[in-house]
Amino acid sequence: MKFEMRNKIGKIALILILLTSLGFTSCKKWLDLQPEDGLIEENYWKTKEQLKSAVMGCYASMLDGSAIPLTKYMFMWGELRGDMVTTGFGVDDNIDITTLNNLRRDQLFMIRTEIDATNSIANWEAFYRTINYCNDVIKNGPKVLETDKTISQAQVNQYLAEARGLRALMYFYLLRTFKEVPLKTEPTTSDKEIVSLPKSTSEEISEVI
């Protein structure tokens, strides 16, 4: 009787061990799954098509923005701030700002030079997003030469020049508007790499860019 009981306990223990092993194996496979709708950095920067797409992504990012497209930021930081255009009301008009939407209110404050950190037009997030895309191309673009023999050094240099030129344009607007801004020349690829950077002078940025 005792032997049969021990035999049953042994079988149950063996089954539990097997189930646990299968569970760990399945869990490991689940953890090792690759994303189906995204790109893995190790699998990128292999072909000239990928390099071209990355450069196109830099340009496409200018159509995006925090609250408004980046290109509209560029327009307002120049013409609107320089009194070259008007929002439809004057600086001294007696306007109830509570009747304005956020963008119109922020435009009025910019015309009145009453700008603070809460003003959506003073948000430079969209510019640094494009800068980050450009940094990614500049750093990783040359890797394509190692795996794709159908692209020449001259073609890679052309793509890198486009990324550097676009990055310089972003810093031109940032420096003209804020004078001193953080200098970022390395791409940020994960949340762990996000750090606060000190401001750099226009001279320091001009030397690098």
Side-chain angles (χ1 to χ4, degrees), residues 161-190:
E162 289 186 53
R164 290 193 179 98
L166 187 55
R167 183 179 67 177
L169 179 63
M170 297 299 102
Y171 275 112
F172 168 76
Y173 275 91
L174 287 168
L175 291 175
R176 188 177 68 169
T177 305
F178 300 102
K179 190 176 181 179
E180 294 182 344
V181 297
L183 174 61
K184 188 80 165 62
T185 57
E186 289 291 323
T188 298
T189 58
S190 69

mmCIF file of all heavy atoms in Angstrom, residues 161-190:
data_model
loop_
_atom_site.group_PDB
_atom_site.id
_atom_site.type_symbol
_atom_site.label_atom_id
_atom_site.label_comp_id
_atom_site.label_asym_id
_atom_site.label_seq_id
_atom_site.Cartn_x
_atom_site.Cartn_y
_atom_site.Cartn_z
ATOM 1 N N ALA A 161 24.818 63.715 -46.287
ATOM 2 C CA ALA A 161 24.812 65.168 -46.461
ATOM 3 C C ALA A 161 23.397 65.728 -46.305
ATOM 4 O O ALA A 161 23.199 66.804 -45.721
ATOM 5 C CB ALA A 161 25.375 65.530 -47.833
ATOM 6 N N GLU A 162 22.414 64.996 -46.816
ATOM 7 C CA GLU A 162 21.024 65.437 -46.662
ATOM 8 C C GLU A 162 20.636 65.463 -45.186
ATOM 9 O O GLU A 162 19.983 66.408 -44.718
ATOM 10 C CB GLU A 162 20.094 64.510 -47.435
ATOM 11 C CG GLU A 162 20.196 64.636 -48.941
ATOM 12 C CD GLU A 162 19.152 63.800 -49.663
ATOM 13 O OE1 GLU A 162 17.954 63.931 -49.345
ATOM 14 O OE2 GLU A 162 19.539 63.000 -50.539
ATOM 15 N N ALA A 163 21.028 64.425 -44.455
ATOM 16 C CA ALA A 163 20.697 64.361 -43.027
ATOM 17 C C ALA A 163 21.394 65.479 -42.256
ATOM 18 O O ALA A 163 20.791 66.116 -41.383
ATOM 19 C CB ALA A 163 21.088 63.000 -42.459
ATOM 20 N N ARG A 164 22.657 65.732 -42.585
ATOM 21 C CA ARG A 164 23.388 66.808 -41.904
ATOM 22 C C ARG A 164 22.789 68.175 -42.244
ATOM 23 O O ARG A 164 22.682 69.056 -41.382
ATOM 24 C CB ARG A 164 24.867 66.769 -42.299
ATOM 25 C CG ARG A 164 25.630 65.577 -41.733
ATOM 26 C CD ARG A 164 27.136 65.757 -41.897
ATOM 27 N NE ARG A 164 27.874 64.640 -41.341
ATOM 28 C CZ ARG A 164 28.339 63.616 -42.050
ATOM 29 N NH1 ARG A 164 28.129 63.583 -43.368
ATOM 30 N NH2 ARG A 164 28.998 62.635 -41.474
ATOM 31 N N GLY A 165 22.412 68.353 -43.502
ATOM 32 C CA GLY A 165 21.816 69.624 -43.904
ATOM 33 C C GLY A 165 20.490 69.875 -43.212
ATOM 34 O O GLY A 165 20.216 70.995 -42.755
ATOM 35 N N LEU A 166 19.671 68.838 -43.118
ATOM 36 C CA LEU A 166 18.373 68.981 -42.459
ATOM 37 C C LEU A 166 18.557 69.227 -40.964
ATOM 38 O O LEU A 166 17.846 70.043 -40.365
ATOM 39 C CB LEU A 166 17.533 67.725 -42.700
ATOM 40 C CG LEU A 166 16.074 67.771 -42.225
ATOM 41 C CD1 LEU A 166 15.344 68.961 -42.836
ATOM 42 C CD2 LEU A 166 15.363 66.471 -42.585
ATOM 43 N N ARG A 167 19.517 68.536 -40.363
ATOM 44 C CA ARG A 167 19.797 68.760 -38.943
ATOM 45 C C ARG A 167 20.277 70.194 -38.708
ATOM 46 O O ARG A 167 19.878 70.847 -37.733
ATOM 47 C CB ARG A 167 20.849 67.763 -38.446
ATOM 48 C CG ARG A 167 21.144 67.875 -36.961
ATOM 49 C CD ARG A 167 22.170 66.852 -36.501
ATOM 50 N NE ARG A 167 23.490 67.097 -37.078
ATOM 51 C CZ ARG A 167 24.578 66.378 -36.782
ATOM 52 N NH1 ARG A 167 24.483 65.355 -35.939
ATOM 53 N NH2 ARG A 167 25.739 66.655 -37.332
ATOM 54 N N ALA A 168 21.117 70.691 -39.606
ATOM 55 C CA ALA A 168 21.599 72.066 -39.484
ATOM 56 C C ALA A 168 20.449 73.062 -39.601
ATOM 57 O O ALA A 168 20.426 74.087 -38.906
ATOM 58 C CB ALA A 168 22.652 72.343 -40.557
ATOM 59 N N LEU A 169 19.488 72.763 -40.475
ATOM 60 C CA LEU A 169 18.326 73.644 -40.619
ATOM 61 C C LEU A 169 17.523 73.692 -39.322
ATOM 62 O O LEU A 169 17.060 74.765 -38.906
ATOM 63 C CB LEU A 169 17.442 73.149 -41.767
ATOM 64 C CG LEU A 169 16.164 73.959 -42.027
ATOM 65 C CD1 LEU A 169 16.499 75.383 -42.451
ATOM 66 C CD2 LEU A 169 15.298 73.269 -43.078
ATOM 67 N N MET A 170 17.361 72.546 -38.671
ATOM 68 C CA MET A 170 16.628 72.511 -37.404
ATOM 69 C C MET A 170 17.340 73.366 -36.351
ATOM 70 O O MET A 170 16.705 74.144 -35.628
ATOM 71 C CB MET A 170 16.511 71.068 -36.900
ATOM 72 C CG MET A 170 15.726 70.119 -37.803
ATOM 73 S SD MET A 170 13.998 70.594 -38.049
ATOM 74 C CE MET A 170 14.101 71.326 -39.696
ATOM 75 N N TYR A 171 18.650 73.231 -36.278
ATOM 76 C CA TYR A 171 19.398 74.016 -35.298
ATOM 77 C C TYR A 171 19.411 75.499 -35.658
ATOM 78 O O TYR A 171 19.475 76.360 -34.768
ATOM 79 C CB TYR A 171 20.825 73.482 -35.156
ATOM 80 C CG TYR A 171 20.923 72.342 -34.166
ATOM 81 C CD1 TYR A 171 21.218 71.051 -34.585
ATOM 82 C CD2 TYR A 171 20.700 72.557 -32.804
ATOM 83 C CE1 TYR A 171 21.295 70.000 -33.675
ATOM 84 C CE2 TYR A 171 20.772 71.520 -31.893
ATOM 85 C CZ TYR A 171 21.069 70.247 -32.330
ATOM 86 O OH TYR A 171 21.132 69.207 -31.426
ATOM 87 N N PHE A 172 19.354 75.812 -36.948
ATOM 88 C CA PHE A 172 19.280 77.217 -37.359
ATOM 89 C C PHE A 172 18.039 77.875 -36.769
ATOM 90 O O PHE A 172 18.110 78.974 -36.195
ATOM 91 C CB PHE A 172 19.253 77.319 -38.887
ATOM 92 C CG PHE A 172 18.881 78.691 -39.390
ATOM 93 C CD1 PHE A 172 19.804 79.729 -39.356
ATOM 94 C CD2 PHE A 172 17.608 78.947 -39.884
ATOM 95 C CE1 PHE A 172 19.456 81.004 -39.810
ATOM 96 C CE2 PHE A 172 17.255 80.206 -40.337
ATOM 97 C CZ PHE A 172 18.182 81.239 -40.300
ATOM 98 N N TYR A 173 16.896 77.203 -36.895
ATOM 99 C CA TYR A 173 15.660 77.762 -36.346
ATOM 100 C C TYR A 173 15.693 77.799 -34.820
ATOM 101 O O TYR A 173 15.209 78.757 -34.199
ATOM 102 C CB TYR A 173 14.458 76.951 -36.832
ATOM 103 C CG TYR A 173 13.945 77.397 -38.182
ATOM 104 C CD1 TYR A 173 14.427 76.826 -39.354
ATOM 105 C CD2 TYR A 173 12.989 78.400 -38.291
ATOM 106 C CE1 TYR A 173 13.978 77.242 -40.596
ATOM 107 C CE2 TYR A 173 12.528 78.823 -39.529
ATOM 108 C CZ TYR A 173 13.027 78.246 -40.677
ATOM 109 O OH TYR A 173 12.575 78.672 -41.903
ATOM 110 N N LEU A 174 16.255 76.769 -34.211
ATOM 111 C CA LEU A 174 16.336 76.741 -32.750
ATOM 112 C C LEU A 174 17.225 77.869 -32.227
ATOM 113 O O LEU A 174 16.867 78.563 -31.265
ATOM 114 C CB LEU A 174 16.877 75.386 -32.286
ATOM 115 C CG LEU A 174 15.922 74.193 -32.401
ATOM 116 C CD1 LEU A 174 16.677 72.881 -32.190
ATOM 117 C CD2 LEU A 174 14.785 74.310 -31.392
ATOM 118 N N LEU A 175 18.376 78.053 -32.853
ATOM 119 C CA LEU A 175 19.304 79.091 -32.398
ATOM 120 C C LEU A 175 18.746 80.483 -32.655
ATOM 121 O O LEU A 175 18.901 81.384 -31.826
ATOM 122 C CB LEU A 175 20.654 78.929 -33.101
ATOM 123 C CG LEU A 175 21.475 77.699 -32.712
ATOM 124 C CD1 LEU A 175 22.733 77.611 -33.566
ATOM 125 C CD2 LEU A 175 21.848 77.742 -31.236
ATOM 126 N N ARG A 176 18.112 80.674 -33.788
ATOM 127 C CA ARG A 176 17.558 81.987 -34.106
ATOM 128 C C ARG A 176 16.442 82.367 -33.136
ATOM 129 O O ARG A 176 16.256 83.543 -32.815
ATOM 130 C CB ARG A 176 17.016 82.002 -35.541
ATOM 131 C CG ARG A 176 16.587 83.385 -36.008
ATOM 132 C CD ARG A 176 16.132 83.391 -37.441
ATOM 133 N NE ARG A 176 14.883 82.661 -37.629
ATOM 134 C CZ ARG A 176 14.163 82.695 -38.754
ATOM 135 N NH1 ARG A 176 14.600 83.399 -39.793
ATOM 136 N NH2 ARG A 176 13.046 82.013 -38.867
ATOM 137 N N THR A 177 15.728 81.358 -32.659
ATOM 138 C CA THR A 177 14.590 81.623 -31.782
ATOM 139 C C THR A 177 14.979 81.657 -30.313
ATOM 140 O O THR A 177 14.536 82.534 -29.561
ATOM 141 C CB THR A 177 13.501 80.555 -31.995
ATOM 142 O OG1 THR A 177 13.151 80.509 -33.384
ATOM 143 C CG2 THR A 177 12.259 80.873 -31.180
ATOM 144 N N PHE A 178 15.827 80.697 -29.884
ATOM 145 C CA PHE A 178 16.134 80.567 -28.457
ATOM 146 C C PHE A 178 17.576 80.938 -28.101
ATOM 147 O O PHE A 178 17.907 81.044 -26.931
ATOM 148 C CB PHE A 178 15.863 79.128 -27.996
ATOM 149 C CG PHE A 178 14.445 78.690 -28.192
ATOM 150 C CD1 PHE A 178 14.091 77.873 -29.257
ATOM 151 C CD2 PHE A 178 13.447 79.098 -27.321
ATOM 152 C CE1 PHE A 178 12.785 77.459 -29.443
ATOM 153 C CE2 PHE A 178 12.134 78.695 -27.493
ATOM 154 C CZ PHE A 178 11.797 77.874 -28.563
ATOM 155 N N LYS A 179 18.430 81.058 -29.100
ATOM 156 C CA LYS A 179 19.839 81.438 -28.950
ATOM 157 C C LYS A 179 20.684 80.330 -28.342
ATOM 158 O O LYS A 179 21.726 79.957 -28.892
ATOM 159 C CB LYS A 179 19.995 82.714 -28.125
ATOM 160 C CG LYS A 179 21.421 83.259 -28.155
ATOM 161 C CD LYS A 179 21.542 84.576 -27.414
ATOM 162 C CE LYS A 179 22.974 85.098 -27.479
ATOM 163 N NZ LYS A 179 23.101 86.402 -26.775
ATOM 164 N N GLU A 180 20.286 79.786 -27.205
ATOM 165 C CA GLU A 180 21.033 78.704 -26.570
ATOM 166 C C GLU A 180 20.105 77.510 -26.370
ATOM 167 O O GLU A 180 19.045 77.635 -25.746
ATOM 168 C CB GLU A 180 21.614 79.153 -25.228
ATOM 169 C CG GLU A 180 22.669 80.237 -25.350
ATOM 170 C CD GLU A 180 23.260 80.618 -24.009
ATOM 171 O OE1 GLU A 180 22.645 80.268 -22.969
ATOM 172 O OE2 GLU A 180 24.326 81.248 -23.986
ATOM 173 N N VAL A 181 20.504 76.363 -26.911
ATOM 174 C CA VAL A 181 19.673 75.158 -26.839
ATOM 175 C C VAL A 181 20.576 73.948 -26.605
ATOM 176 O O VAL A 181 21.787 74.010 -26.825
ATOM 177 C CB VAL A 181 18.862 74.958 -28.144
ATOM 178 C CG1 VAL A 181 17.891 76.105 -28.368
ATOM 179 C CG2 VAL A 181 19.794 74.801 -29.338
ATOM 180 N N PRO A 182 20.012 72.824 -26.177
ATOM 181 C CA PRO A 182 20.824 71.605 -26.010
ATOM 182 C C PRO A 182 21.351 71.100 -27.354
ATOM 183 O O PRO A 182 20.646 71.142 -28.361
ATOM 184 C CB PRO A 182 19.838 70.605 -25.396
ATOM 185 C CG PRO A 182 18.775 71.450 -24.770
ATOM 186 C CD PRO A 182 18.647 72.648 -25.650
ATOM 187 N N LEU A 183 22.585 70.638 -27.350
ATOM 188 C CA LEU A 183 23.198 70.072 -28.549
ATOM 189 C C LEU A 183 23.150 68.552 -28.457
ATOM 190 O O LEU A 183 23.684 67.961 -27.525
ATOM 191 C CB LEU A 183 24.648 70.537 -28.679
ATOM 192 C CG LEU A 183 25.466 69.917 -29.814
ATOM 193 C CD1 LEU A 183 24.843 70.242 -31.166
ATOM 194 C CD2 LEU A 183 26.913 70.390 -29.760
ATOM 195 N N LYS A 184 22.506 67.931 -29.432
ATOM 196 C CA LYS A 184 22.357 66.466 -29.451
ATOM 197 C C LYS A 184 22.858 65.958 -30.790
ATOM 198 O O LYS A 184 22.303 66.277 -31.838
ATOM 199 C CB LYS A 184 20.878 66.100 -29.266
ATOM 200 C CG LYS A 184 20.616 64.612 -29.082
ATOM 201 C CD LYS A 184 20.900 64.185 -27.660
ATOM 202 C CE LYS A 184 20.298 62.810 -27.336
ATOM 203 N NZ LYS A 184 20.828 61.712 -28.146
ATOM 204 N N THR A 185 23.919 65.150 -30.762
ATOM 205 C CA THR A 185 24.485 64.624 -32.006
ATOM 206 C C THR A 185 24.441 63.100 -32.072
ATOM 207 O O THR A 185 24.818 62.523 -33.088
ATOM 208 C CB THR A 185 25.947 65.079 -32.164
ATOM 209 O OG1 THR A 185 26.705 64.649 -31.027
ATOM 210 C CG2 THR A 185 26.034 66.594 -32.283
ATOM 211 N N GLU A 186 23.986 62.458 -31.005
ATOM 212 C CA GLU A 186 23.851 61.004 -30.989
ATOM 213 C C GLU A 186 22.368 60.641 -30.978
ATOM 214 O O GLU A 186 21.571 61.296 -30.305
ATOM 215 C CB GLU A 186 24.533 60.400 -29.762
ATOM 216 C CG GLU A 186 26.048 60.453 -29.802
ATOM 217 C CD GLU A 186 26.629 59.526 -30.862
ATOM 218 O OE1 GLU A 186 26.075 58.427 -31.053
ATOM 219 O OE2 GLU A 186 27.627 59.903 -31.495
ATOM 220 N N PRO A 187 21.973 59.597 -31.708
ATOM 221 C CA PRO A 187 20.552 59.220 -31.728
ATOM 222 C C PRO A 187 20.108 58.595 -30.414
ATOM 223 O O PRO A 187 20.888 57.909 -29.743
ATOM 224 C CB PRO A 187 20.478 58.202 -32.873
ATOM 225 C CG PRO A 187 21.853 57.603 -32.929
ATOM 226 C CD PRO A 187 22.790 58.724 -32.577
ATOM 227 N N THR A 188 18.878 58.848 -30.055
ATOM 228 C CA THR A 188 18.257 58.214 -28.896
ATOM 229 C C THR A 188 17.339 57.118 -29.410
ATOM 230 O O THR A 188 16.401 57.388 -30.162
ATOM 231 C CB THR A 188 17.446 59.235 -28.081
ATOM 232 O OG1 THR A 188 18.330 60.252 -27.599
ATOM 233 C CG2 THR A 188 16.761 58.564 -26.902
ATOM 234 N N THR A 189 17.611 55.877 -29.025
ATOM 235 C CA THR A 189 16.855 54.748 -29.563
ATOM 236 C C THR A 189 15.978 54.059 -28.526
ATOM 237 O O THR A 189 15.208 53.170 -28.867
ATOM 238 C CB THR A 189 17.814 53.709 -30.177
ATOM 239 O OG1 THR A 189 18.741 53.271 -29.171
ATOM 240 C CG2 THR A 189 18.589 54.321 -31.337
ATOM 241 N N SER A 190 16.097 54.447 -27.255
ATOM 242 C CA SER A 190 15.263 53.840 -26.216
ATOM 243 C C SER A 190 15.044 54.846 -25.096
ATOM 244 O O SER A 190 15.783 55.833 -24.974
ATOM 245 C CB SER A 190 15.915 52.569 -25.654
ATOM 246 O OG SER A 190 17.068 52.894 -24.898
#
